[in-house]
Amino acid sequence: MEAGVFEIMLLMPALVAPLMPVGCLAASAQPSLPVEDGLLLRPWLLTDAAAVVKAFQDPAIQRWHLRKADSEEEAREWITQ
């Protein structure tokens, strides 16, 4: 994570106390959720790196997401975290 992003996150107020400790689900398998018309919502895979980069070019994602994915290498690093 970039230093600037981390600093922004530190400045954001915690309006609600966390229910669970940070990272407590990190070792858990992430779910895949089937939705309408055969669509499957699932965690990103390393093979999705190009799609992540393309998605992060969308101004709406850039507006609401603190992270950036400017290259496939950066996207792969983000996916593996």
Side-chain angles (χ1 to χ4, degrees), residues 39-80:
L39 182 64
L40 179 67
L41 301 177
R42 59 164 176 76
W44 293 111
L45 303 173
L46 288 175
T47 54
D48 295 325
V52 171
V53 172
K54 183 175 180 181
F56 273 68
Q57 302 309 307
D58 185 317
I61 289 179
Q62 292 175 3
R63 178 176 180 195
W64 295 107
H65 207 289
L66 294 175
R67 288 193 151 167
K68 296 186 333 183
D70 294 328
S71 69
E72 288 188 32
E73 180 181 345
E74 190 173 13
R76 283 190 290 274
E77 288 175 17
W78 181 69
I79 290 168
T80 58

Side-chain angles (χ1 to χ4, degrees), residues 20-28:
M20 301 164 56
V22 172
C24 70
L25 299 175
S28 301

